[in-house]
Amino acid sequence: MTDLERWRLILGEPASRCTGGVQGDAARRDTALEWLYGRDPELAERGVRKGGSEDSVLQTVDWLDEVHTLFPRETIERLERDAVERYEITDVVTDPEVLQRIEPNPALLRAVLRTKHLMNPAVLALARKIVEAVVKQLMEKLKTEVRTAFSGTRSRRPSIHKNSRNFDFRSTIRANLQRYQPEERKLAIEHPKFVSRTKRHLEQWQVILLVDQSGSMTSSVIHSAVTAACLWGLPGLRTHLVAFDTNVVDLTSDVTDPVELLMKVQLGGGTDIAKAVAYGAGLVDSPRRSIVAIISDFYEGGSAAHLVRTVKDLCEQGTHVLCLAALDDEANPDYDRALGQRLANVGAHVGAMTPGQLAEFVAEKLR
């Protein structure tokens, strides 16, 4: 494909007078892009793209076949994500024929969770396979992060156990500097150094995850379910998972099966964070060995004053309260900073953590 053809695909039909037309596969790519992005009202108003009537000709399942044939994987994922999230083309996740062809990815998982109430049992069974596939991917990634966080702290004592995880880079360099070969710019290592890891004597701790399940919090619900499953059963740790909107639902009994848990989540509705935190406070057995993590955008629909008072009481009794902002797929936080500041003023830790960073925080407290 020439540079002019690429610019023509990016800019759309109005650029043809400068770039020339497109032929062959480039024309097919243009049709696929126009099918999706030609429906954008802003672009149509600005004349960037010529809105077409391809919807009546090209069906979603045909469009998917085209993009999977014509574009690289990264582009396919972006196009599918825009279809379900930006333009709400719901038949991507409610048409059985489409579901059988589409590649599972986090954007589709979010779409399934938002639209599963629209699906008949046969479609729901197919959609569940998407949930299972994406959860498996997330579990594999997060399990590694959790194992790293809970594998033991490195000490400065040397170790006779030669394990790559315990390799001491700095000490090895210092011990072998005399063997540096400047003409080859190489360091010959004769005596690699390793450090030991401390053994942990763990007391029982509680981690209580309170997860906002309002419509904008889909990604956080997914990550929280997977995080809870990874933390479940770790020595010295008791994990609870509670979802809330204006109601509070304790999902702890389903933590071992995050797929089943996610299929039970009902996204949408208002937000009553204070009610959920009051419920979480009632679960605390030993305040000084408890972590209450509130995962929300903190746009409180209930009583902000009640929320601040409850968090203040938890902090004063020695409980670690984490107010974790919602994160999108690029790990960008989005939350009510004014309420976040009020919660920080009464002793809560306010900010953003990825699931892996949350596991590291919990591991550090257990030490």
Side-chain angles (χ1 to χ4, degrees):
M1 187 188 302
T2 67
D3 288 340
L4 282 178
E5 285 178 322
R6 288 191 180 91
W7 278 111
R8 165 62 182 79
L9 292 178
I10 293 169
L11 298 175
E13 175 63 29
S16 294
R17 61 181 179 271
C18 298
T19 62
V22 286
Q23 304 294 327
D25 284 348
R28 292 170 61 197
R29 291 187 183 98
D30 185 57
T31 300
L33 292 171
E34 185 66 34
W35 182 88
L36 182 62
Y37 296 111
R39 67 189 69 213
D40 193 318
E42 285 190 17
L43 294 178
E45 289 169 9
R46 289 157 47 197
V48 176
R49 277 191 176 275
K50 179 185 72 174
S53 58
E54 288 85 349
D55 280 0
S56 60
V57 177
L58 191 65
Q59 301 301 316
T60 304
V61 66
D62 302 317
W63 175 76
L64 282 170
D65 283 343
E66 284 287 87
V67 298
H68 276 261
T69 301
L70 297 168
F71 295 100
R73 176 179 291 273
E74 310 82 58
T75 306
I76 293 168
E77 291 178 357
R78 175 58 186 268
L79 292 172
E80 290 177 346
R81 183 168 70 246
D82 283 351
V84 296
E85 294 190 338
R86 186 173 175 181
Y87 299 110
E88 299 181 349
I89 304 173
T90 56
D91 55 342
V92 170
V93 288
T94 56
D95 185 325
E97 192 174 358
V98 175
L99 282 172
Q100 288 175 331
R101 301 187 188 196
I102 205 160
E103 186 75 20
N105 62 64
L108 288 174
L109 172 54
R110 291 192 295 273
V112 166
L113 296 185
R114 291 189 184 114
T115 59
K116 65 181 188 292
H117 62 286
L118 304 174
M119 300 176 185
N120 63 45
V123 173
L124 195 61
L126 290 172
R128 190 185 185 94
K129 293 182 180 179
I130 289 178
V131 178
E132 291 172 351
V134 179
V135 166
K136 183 179 179 181
Q137 295 168 9
L138 294 173
M139 286 283 289
E140 289 303 314
K141 178 182 177 183
L142 188 56
K143 274 183 178 177
T144 301
E145 295 179 1
V146 170
R147 279 198 301 268
T148 300
F150 283 81
S151 60
T153 54
R154 288 159 63 95
S155 76
R156 294 184 179 274
R157 295 196 306 271
S159 172
I160 61 172
H161 301 292
K162 298 180 179 181
N163 184 302
S164 60
R165 186 165 52 87
N166 299 334
F167 180 65
D168 190 337
F169 178 80
R170 293 177 182 273
S171 296
T172 299
I173 295 297
R174 283 197 299 267
N176 294 274
L177 274 176
Q178 68 273 24
R179 295 178 183 82
Y180 180 66
Q181 303 166 6
E183 64 282 358
E184 297 182 17
R185 301 184 70 180
K186 291 182 179 179
L187 179 67
I189 296 177
E190 184 175 336
H191 302 294
K193 301 294 183 180
F194 300 86
V195 294
S196 62
R197 288 184 179 261
T198 58
K199 292 285 187 181
R200 299 211 185 117
H201 301 283
L202 302 178
E203 295 181 283
Q204 186 75 28
W205 275 69
Q206 275 181 289
V207 174
I208 301 166
L209 301 177
L210 305 174
V211 188
D212 188 341
Q213 65 172 356
S214 57
S216 61
M217 295 292 298
T218 314
S219 291
S220 293
V221 172
I222 295 167
H223 289 141
S224 298
V226 175
T227 300
C230 291
L231 294 176
W232 184 266
L234 287 172
L237 193 62
R238 187 151 50 98
T239 306
H240 307 260
L241 181 64
V242 177
F244 67 91
D245 41 33
T246 52
N247 296 305
V248 178
V249 182
D250 196 325
L251 298 170
T252 303
S253 61
D254 294 308
V255 163
T256 54
D257 186 351
V259 174
E260 184 63 31
L261 188 155
L262 288 172
M263 296 305 286
K264 288 183 177 180
V265 167
Q266 299 296 323
L267 295 169
T271 308
D272 192 336
I273 310 171
K275 185 176 181 180
V277 175
Y279 179 86
L283 297 175
V284 174
D285 291 334
S286 180
R288 295 188 178 277
R289 291 198 301 276
S290 297
I291 299 169
V292 175
I294 311 159
I295 303 169
S296 176
D297 55 15
F298 296 97
Y299 292 102
E300 174 65 293
S303 169
H306 183 206
L307 170 62
V308 173
R309 281 197 306 272
T310 307
V311 168
K312 183 172 184 282
D313 291 343
L314 282 168
C315 294
E316 287 179 346
Q317 72 182 13
T319 300
H320 299 274
V321 179
L322 306 181
C323 296
L324 304 181
L327 294 175
D328 62 19
D329 284 341
E330 284 72 43
N332 298 312
D334 176 27
Y335 65 104
D336 184 334
R337 284 168 168 75
L339 181 54
Q341 185 60 60
R342 292 176 64 185
L343 296 170
N345 292 342
V346 297
H349 304 275
V350 179
M353 288 183 183
T354 64
Q357 290 168 335
L358 175 59
E360 289 177 4
F361 181 90
V362 173
E364 189 61 37
K365 293 305 173 186
L366 264 67
R367 291 169 196 155

